[in-house]
Amino acid sequence: MTAVRKRARALVAAVALLALGVVIAPSQSAGADPAGVQRTLDWEQSADRTLPAAAPPNLNKQWATSYGATNVTSPTRDGSYAARFELRKSDPVVSGSKRAEISQRDEQPAGAERWYGFSINLASTWAYDTSAEIVSQWHQCDVGCPGGSPPLALLTDEGRWKIDFRGEFIDLGPYSTGVWADWVFHVTWRTDSTGMLQVWKNGERVVHRTGATHGGGPRSPYFKLGIYKWDWNTGAPSSTTQRVMYHDALRLGDERAAYRDVAPERACTRAVPVPSASATTYEPTNPPANAIDGNPTTRWSGQGFGAALILDTGALRQLCGATVAWHRGDLRWNDYTIHASQDGVSYAKVWEGRSSGTTTAPETVLFTTGSIDARYLRVSFWANPENDWASITEAGPLGL
Ligand SMILES: [Ca+2]
Ligand SMILES: [Ca+2]
């Protein structure tokens, strides 16, 4: 989404300049990020491909080898380039430990609200180890701060993704190697009850906490990406001697940003499982469960304009569209609305329109609101040219 927007803006700018008779060379700054995106590090800009000699502009270098951080053309999460981090147990100590990291400068204002979107690909050699390592961290400011452990970190530990949030370990399930995992962190950096932490993993919201998010100091924590493995310096047990991972699609946003501005781009094509369905009304022979059984010959039927089918995905995640297949959908159109909800009580409209009337197959609709966090979808029937019966053979949400 961002790239499309950037390309569109770059084109408009180029056309405007050409109209003025100005000849322009391809420029690093041709496109503008959405308001609120402070920094994009997707490695597509040649000015950012400074590795391994130096960190990209306005970032700090924390590796000491020729392989610590490099640019690669495969694998990539977006575009043609990504970054590759490699740390070996035998590497020199950097900034007090074993690390290969790129760091933001310690210049974040106090009380900042920040968005961080990025994608990590753990190499297939990323073997199980009882010793953990940090792959993204938010470091307490350096001067006039409590110091100590980072208030927030993303780790791999004993085969699993984990978040260390102020000393509490939150287990986010087993990691897979050789694939991109997309992460979005939204943090309001506060030392009092007004703080907030939200985390999405591959579009699913896996953490939502309120309260203090760091321990104090005159500035908010700053972000670091790359590999930090302290056990290789302290001599604690570890069964590995090398770590390699890839990093791409980093976007840093401020309080004006939204999820879609920083999240790695995804097409709205992922079918989201629906464990249960209900309805405001139904006839006993055609219950709501028939609309999620995967069988195109069974259906939910409810009588009356406004009759609604409610799909429960069981968890909050970024939903962006839906597929709906109508009984007799090749013989009659249906006017319907889709509303989305986080709690099953408060709903917001995300789409309204008319089915094609030309097919019984599932038809895809994309939310006019863009993607949103939701658990429930309500599909409400309003009209068809034959009768006042809502009859849906299959329906399901689409997620990012
Ligand atoms: Ca890239
Ligand atoms: Ca069915």
Side-chain angles (χ1 to χ4, degrees):
M1 185 175 297
T2 303
V4 170
R5 201 175 303 152
K6 286 177 68 174
R7 279 193 293 273
R9 290 187 186 183
L11 186 62
V12 168
V15 168
L17 287 168
L18 286 170
L20 293 169
V22 177
V23 177
I24 52 168
S27 164
Q28 299 298 339
S29 57
D33 281 321
V37 174
Q38 301 175 305
R39 181 75 158 95
T40 293
L41 190 58
D42 58 7
W43 309 103
E44 306 308 313
Q45 305 296 318
S46 59
D48 283 334
R49 291 197 296 274
T50 55
L51 313 179
N58 301 314
L59 297 167
N60 291 340
K61 172 186 176 181
Q62 291 196 320
W63 64 91
T65 64
S66 60
Y67 49 78
T70 53
N71 283 118
V72 294
T73 54
S74 178
T76 66
R77 176 61 181 82
D78 62 15
S80 303
Y81 298 92
R84 177 186 188 274
F85 292 93
E86 176 174 346
L87 186 68
R88 299 178 190 171
K89 192 173 183 178
S90 57
D91 283 350
V93 166
V94 174
S95 191
S97 193
K98 303 279 183 166
R99 66 178 82 240
E101 292 184 296
I102 293 172
S103 178
Q104 264 189 324
R105 292 177 180 169
D106 179 12
E107 55 188 19
Q108 301 297 312
E113 179 184 351
R114 292 289 181 262
W115 289 84
Y116 313 82
F118 53 88
S119 195
I120 288 176
N121 187 323
L122 305 172
S124 58
T125 54
W126 198 275
Y128 179 95
D129 193 347
T130 54
S131 160
E133 51 274 304
I134 281 175
V135 295
S136 299
Q137 61 168 312
W138 289 259
H139 199 279
Q140 208 93 263
C141 66
D142 296 326
V143 178
C145 294
S149 295
L152 178 62
L154 176 64
L155 306 91
T156 58
D157 182 24
E158 300 187 322
R160 306 181 73 81
W161 291 112
K162 292 181 184 176
I163 284 173
D164 177 358
F165 179 44
R166 310 197 71 206
E168 175 197 0
F169 283 82
I170 305 170
D171 190 322
L172 299 181
Y175 62 69
S176 299
T177 62
V179 295
W180 290 100
D182 293 340
W183 297 92
V184 174
F185 285 70
H186 179 206
V187 192
T188 306
W189 292 111
R190 300 282 161 76
T191 55
D192 59 21
S193 62
T194 61
M196 185 189 66
L197 168 66
Q198 294 179 312
V199 183
W200 293 259
K201 173 191 172 194
N202 289 330
E204 181 179 353
R205 199 171 84 184
V206 290
V207 177
H208 185 187
R209 302 290 172 90
T210 55
T213 46
H214 72 112
R219 293 176 301 286
S220 297
Y222 58 94
F223 180 59
K224 304 178 71 174
L225 59 143
I227 307 167
Y228 167 46
K229 193 162 174 73
W230 57 96
D231 283 349
W232 283 352
N233 189 44
T234 64
S238 168
S239 53
T240 57
T241 57
Q242 183 206 36
R243 285 300 201 210
V244 174
M245 75 171 203
Y246 304 92
H247 203 284
D248 203 359
L250 172 65
R251 287 180 181 80
L252 303 172
D254 64 19
E255 70 283 354
R256 296 167 297 169
Y259 180 94
R260 63 181 173 274
D261 295 326
V262 301
E265 289 187 66
R266 281 182 177 276
C268 185
T269 55
R270 181 184 299 219
V272 175
V274 181
S276 67
S278 58
T280 56
T281 178
Y282 64 95
E283 57 178 351
T285 52
N286 294 306
N290 281 4
I292 57 168
D293 63 359
N295 181 348
T297 69
T298 62
R299 69 180 192 270
W300 159 70
S301 285
Q303 189 173 24
F305 300 114
L309 174 71
I310 294 124
L311 308 171
D312 180 0
T313 67
L316 282 179
R317 60 173 303 126
Q318 285 278 308
L319 299 182
C320 48
T323 57
V324 184
W326 293 90
H327 174 62
R328 294 174 62 79
D330 55 339
L331 301 172
R332 67 191 189 200
W333 47 259
N334 290 272
D335 282 341
Y336 66 109
T337 54
I338 302 176
H339 289 69
S341 172
Q342 297 196 0
D343 57 8
V345 176
S346 175
Y347 280 86
K349 187 163 70 179
V350 292
W351 188 85
E352 67 177 311
R354 176 173 288 184
S355 69
S356 72
T358 61
T359 180
T360 57
E363 294 183 291
T364 295
V365 299
L366 300 179
F367 296 164
T368 50
T369 54
S371 68
I372 57 161
D373 270 332
R375 171 176 168 174
Y376 302 89
L377 288 189
R378 189 177 72 206
V379 183
S380 303
F381 162 83
W382 298 105
N384 75 40
E386 285 189 345
N387 56 33
D388 64 348
W389 279 93
S391 292
I392 291 174
T393 56
E394 284 296 308
L398 294 174
L400 292 176

